[in-house]
C-alpha cells in the first residue's frame, strides 16, 4: 500500500484524469434519466413520504437547497460530492501517488462502477486509500493496517478514512509451513473466521468486520517483501473464507503484488485458480461465490 519508491509524477496526472472521467461519466449517465411525470422532489426525512391525503391545492415541496444526495446524480443536482472533491484536491497538491498502476487500478474501478455504493474491505492503509473511498462514494470502505504509527499519521491528514489497527503473528519465512497447514481438512471448512479451527484464519479484527458481508476485498497488506515481514498468507486465506461464508451472492477479491512468491502461491491455492477471472500487471482478480448455500461444494472448483 505504501513504498519509499513512489511512482512517476505522470501517474498522478493519470489518476486525476481518472477521477474527472468518472465524474463526467456519472453526469452523462444521469442526463439520460428523467424524473417520473407525477413525482416531486421530497426530502428523505421530511415526514411526507407516507402521506396520501395532501390536497392538490397545497404548494408542492420545494427541492432542498442543502448538499446533493449520494450518487447517482440527477439532472437537477450535479454538485461534485465532497469525497471526490477532497480526493481531487489531495492528489493535485501532493507529489505522492498511488502505488498501483493505472491499468491495475482500472480492474478494481470497473467492478466498483458496477457495485458501488457497496462494502469494500482493504488490507492496508496507504497513499491510494482516499482514492478507494472516493470511488466507493456512498458506500463503506474500511482499511486494516498493521502499523499503528502510520494510522495516526494518515488520520492527521485524512481524518474521514475508516481504519483499524490489526496485528499479524506470522513471518514470510513461515510461508511453506503455513501452506502445508492450509491443506488440512480444518482449513477447507467454510465458517466465520472467528470460529475457524484453521491456523490461517485471522481472529483479531474488530467484531464488526466479521459481521459485514463485503462486496469487494483488496489484499494489499501486510508487508511481505522480506523474510521477517508478516506476509500476506493469513490475509489471503481469510479474504477467501469471508467470501465463501457470505449469505448469498459473490465477492470480488483482489490481490496485489502477485509477482512475489507468497502472493502468487497463496492466492492460487486459497482463492483458487478456478475463481480467477483476470490478472493485470501485479494485480489478480478473483470472483468467489458463497459456499453456504451449496452443501458439499468443493473448496476450489
Amino acid at each position: 500500500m505504501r513504498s519509499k519508491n513512489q511512482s512517476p509524477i505522470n501517474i498522478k496526472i493519470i489518476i486525476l484524469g481518472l477521477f474527472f472521467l468518472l465524474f463526467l461519466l456519472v453526469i452523462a449517465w444521469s442526463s439520460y434519466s428523467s424524473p417520473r411525470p407525477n413525482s416531486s422532489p421530497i426530502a428523505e426525512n421530511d415526514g411526507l413520504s407516507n402521506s396520501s391525503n395532501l390536497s392538490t391545492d397545497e404548494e408542492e415541496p420545494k427541492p432542498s437547497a442543502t448538499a446533493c444526495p449520494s450518487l447517482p446524480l440527477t439532472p437537477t443536482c450535479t454538485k461534485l460530492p465532497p469525497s471526490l472533491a477532497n480526493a481531487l484536491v489531495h492528489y493535485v497538491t501532493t507529489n505522492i501517488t498511488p502505488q498501483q498502476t493505472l491499468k491495475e487500478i482500472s480492474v478494481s474501478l470497473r467492478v466498483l462502477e458496477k457495485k458501488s455504493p457497496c462494502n469494500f474491505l482493504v488490507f492496508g492503509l496507504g497513499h491510494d486509500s482516499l482514492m478507494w473511498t472516493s470511488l466507493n462514494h456512498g458506500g463503506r470502505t474500511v482499511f486494516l493496517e498493521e502499523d499503528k504509527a502510520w494510522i495516526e499519521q494518515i488520520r492527521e491528514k485524512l481524518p474521514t478514512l475508516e481504519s483499524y489497527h490489526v496485528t499479524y503473528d506470522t513471518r514470510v519465512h513461515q510461508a511453506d509451513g503455513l501452506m502445508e497447514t492450509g491443506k488440512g481438512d480444518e482449513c477447507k471448512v467454510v465458517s466465520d473466521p472467528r470460529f475457524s479451527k484453521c491456523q490461517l484464519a485471522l481472529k483479531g479484527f474488530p467484531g464488526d468486520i466479521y459481521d459485514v458481508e463485503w462486496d469487494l476485498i483488496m489484499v494489499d497488506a501486510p508487508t511481505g517483501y522480506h523474510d521477517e515481514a508478516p506476509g500476506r498468507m493469513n490475509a489471503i486465506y481469510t479474504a477467501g473464507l469471508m467470501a465463501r461464508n457470505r449469505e448469498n451472492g459473490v465477492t470480488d477479491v483482489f490481490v496485489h503484488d502477485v509477482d512475489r512468491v507468497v502472493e502468487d502461491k497463496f492466492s492460487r491455492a486459497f482463492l483458487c485458480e478456478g475463481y480467477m477471472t483476470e490478472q493485470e500487471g501485479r494485480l489478480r482478480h478473483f470472483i468467489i461465490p458463497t459456499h453456504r448455500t451449496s452443501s458439499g461444494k468443493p473448496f476450489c472448483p
Side-chain angles (χ1 to χ4, degrees), residues 103-177:
K103 289 184 177 180
E104 291 168 352
I105 292 172
S106 297
V107 174
S108 307
L109 175 61
R110 287 196 296 270
V111 178
L112 282 167
E113 286 176 336
K114 295 177 182 179
K115 289 193 169 185
S116 66
C118 62
N119 294 318
F120 188 8
L121 180 66
V122 184
F123 285 81
L125 180 68
H127 300 298
D128 54 2
S129 296
L130 182 60
M131 177 188 69
W132 294 128
T133 299
S134 301
L135 293 177
N136 189 30
H137 175 73
R140 183 185 182 191
T141 307
V142 175
F143 303 93
L144 304 177
E145 171 60 37
E146 66 193 280
D147 188 339
K148 186 177 293 186
W150 178 251
I151 292 177
E152 295 303 320
Q153 183 177 338
I154 292 296
R155 281 178 179 171
E156 288 182 4
K157 299 178 180 179
L158 306 169
T160 60
L161 297 183
E162 183 179 0
S163 60
Y164 300 96
H165 177 245
V166 295
T167 58
Y168 300 91
D169 298 326
T170 56
R171 296 292 179 265
V172 170
H173 64 75
Q174 300 171 327
D176 290 341

Side-chain angles (χ1 to χ4, degrees), residues 236-254:
I236 291 171
Y237 174 83
T238 303
L241 190 58
M242 287 178 164
R244 292 177 177 88
N245 192 55
R246 67 179 296 150
E247 187 172 348
N248 53 62
V250 302
T251 304
D252 291 86
V253 181
F254 306 90

Side-chain angles (χ1 to χ4, degrees), residues 195-207:
F195 312 121
S196 173
K197 295 181 180 180
C198 180
Q199 184 182 345
L200 285 167
L202 291 168
K203 306 176 187 298
F205 299 158

Side-chain angles (χ1 to χ4, degrees), residues 22-149:
L22 174 63
F23 178 60
L24 292 175
L25 287 174
V26 170
I27 295 178
W29 177 86
S30 65
S31 66
Y32 289 98
S33 303
S34 59
R36 295 180 180 178
N38 297 323
S39 65
S40 60
I42 300 177
E44 182 178 355
N45 296 319
D46 61 4
L48 299 177
S49 58
N50 294 324
S51 174
S52 58
N53 298 320
L54 291 176
S55 169
T56 55
D57 295 331
E58 293 179 4
E59 182 180 356
E60 293 184 356
K62 296 181 180 180
S64 173
T66 57
C68 295
S70 299
L71 295 177
L73 300 173
T74 66
T76 59
C77 182
T78 55
K79 182 178 179 181
L80 187 66
S83 62
L84 295 181
N86 291 337
L88 288 172
V89 172
H90 172 75
Y91 287 114
V92 81
T93 57
T94 180
N95 291 328
I96 301 175
T97 55
Q99 196 172 348
Q100 292 188 26
T101 66
L102 173 61
K103 289 184 177 180
E104 291 168 352
I105 292 172
S106 297
V107 174
S108 307
L109 175 61
R110 287 196 296 270
V111 178
L112 282 167
E113 286 176 336
K114 295 177 182 179
K115 289 193 169 185
S116 66
C118 62
N119 294 318
F120 188 8
L121 180 66
V122 184
F123 285 81
L125 180 68
H127 300 298
D128 54 2
S129 296
L130 182 60
M131 177 188 69
W132 294 128
T133 299
S134 301
L135 293 177
N136 189 30
H137 175 73
R140 183 185 182 191
T141 307
V142 175
F143 303 93
L144 304 177
E145 171 60 37
E146 66 193 280
D147 188 339
K148 186 177 293 186

